[in-house]
């Protein structure tokens, strides 16, 4: 298996600039190499072949991110702006997908460092926390909706009691047995 890409070893500023050029997708590989050499003359510019190899993986990641963005846009279009829970679930799934992809890519590399293992563990933890947050938010919303419904039902029962439509004992039994209101 191949070693680590020369591009991942570049200074963060150079790599960031190079990834910006890749995202813009308006220059050829030779033009990108020349542009990096001109902008950062003190740094070793990547070779055309290493840039080509890096670009294929970068394009795959960008494609996945665009698919997730398109799915989120379709979800919002279909369900409206207040999708809330479903959008949160989609985001959690996207984070999980990205963390899994990073773990699989790291598995392909023979020389994975402890630092990279730690980063993958943090990414996996963040993905799990995103899923947990979505579940907790859903439970909170459901609890609030139930409490609101119980308040409304109790108000209606109070109104029925004041009008005398039901006997106090019957009203008390309905509250306890049907609605669980004590």
């Amino acid at each position: 298996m191949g070693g680590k890409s020369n591009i991942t070893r570049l200074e963060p500023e150079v790599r960031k600039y190079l990834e910006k050029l890749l995202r813009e997708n308006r220059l050829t590989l030779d033009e990108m190499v020349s542009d990096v050499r001109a902008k950062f003359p003190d740094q070793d510019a990547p070779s055309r072949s290493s840039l080509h190899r890096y670009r294929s993986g970068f394009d795959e990641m960008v494609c996945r991110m665009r698919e997730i963005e398109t799915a989120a846009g379709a979800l919002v279009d279909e369900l409206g702006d207040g999708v809330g829970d479903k959008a949160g679930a989609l985001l959690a799934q996207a984070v999980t997908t990205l963390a899994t992809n990073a773990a699989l890519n790291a598995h392909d590399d023979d020389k994975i460092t402890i630092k990279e293992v730690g980063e993958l563990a943090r990414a996996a933890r963040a993905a799990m926390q995103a899923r947990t947050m979505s579940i907790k938010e859903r439970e909170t919303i459901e609890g609030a909706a139930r409490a609101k419904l119980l308040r409304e039902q109790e108000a209606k029962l109070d109104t029925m009691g004041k009008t005398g439509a039901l006997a106090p004992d019957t009203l008390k039994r309905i509250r306890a047995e049907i609605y669980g209101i004590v």
Side-chain angles (χ1 to χ4, degrees), residues 6-11 14-15 18 32-33 36-47 50:
N6 291 339
I7 294 175
T8 60
R9 295 182 188 139
L10 292 173
E11 292 295 319
V14 177
R15 184 174 172 186
L18 189 57
M32 280 189 237
V33 171
V36 169
R37 282 189 181 134
K39 186 157 176 88
F40 303 98
D42 297 341
Q43 299 291 322
D44 290 332
S47 67
S50 66

Side-chain angles (χ1 to χ4, degrees), residues 21-103:
L21 293 176
L22 287 169
R23 278 191 309 276
E24 290 174 354
N25 197 24
R26 59 180 175 80
L27 300 176
T28 66
L29 295 175
D30 290 328
E31 290 170 335
M32 280 189 237
V33 171
S34 297
D35 196 15
V36 169
R37 282 189 181 134
K39 186 157 176 88
F40 303 98
D42 297 341
Q43 299 291 322
D44 290 332
S47 67
R48 184 182 192 282
S49 60
S50 66
L51 185 56
H52 176 72
R53 288 188 302 272
Y54 186 77
R55 181 182 209 160
S56 64
F58 185 83
D59 287 346
E60 182 180 330
M61 181 186 69
V62 168
C63 181
R64 284 185 184 163
M65 292 176 77
R66 285 187 181 133
E67 287 172 355
I68 291 169
E69 184 179 334
T70 301
L75 185 65
V76 169
D77 288 346
E78 184 71 26
L79 301 174
D81 287 331
V83 290
D85 186 43
K86 291 186 181 184
L90 180 64
L91 178 61
Q93 183 60 42
V95 171
T96 303
T97 301
L98 291 173
T100 303
N101 187 45

Side-chain angles (χ1 to χ4, degrees), residues 129-150:
Q129 284 177 335
R131 286 177 181 247
T132 303
M133 288 293 286
S134 179
I135 291 168
K136 286 181 182 176
E137 288 171 356
R138 187 176 328 131
E139 289 171 349
T140 301
I141 291 168
E142 289 171 355
R146 173 128 174 89
K148 181 181 176 187
L149 179 62
L150 285 174

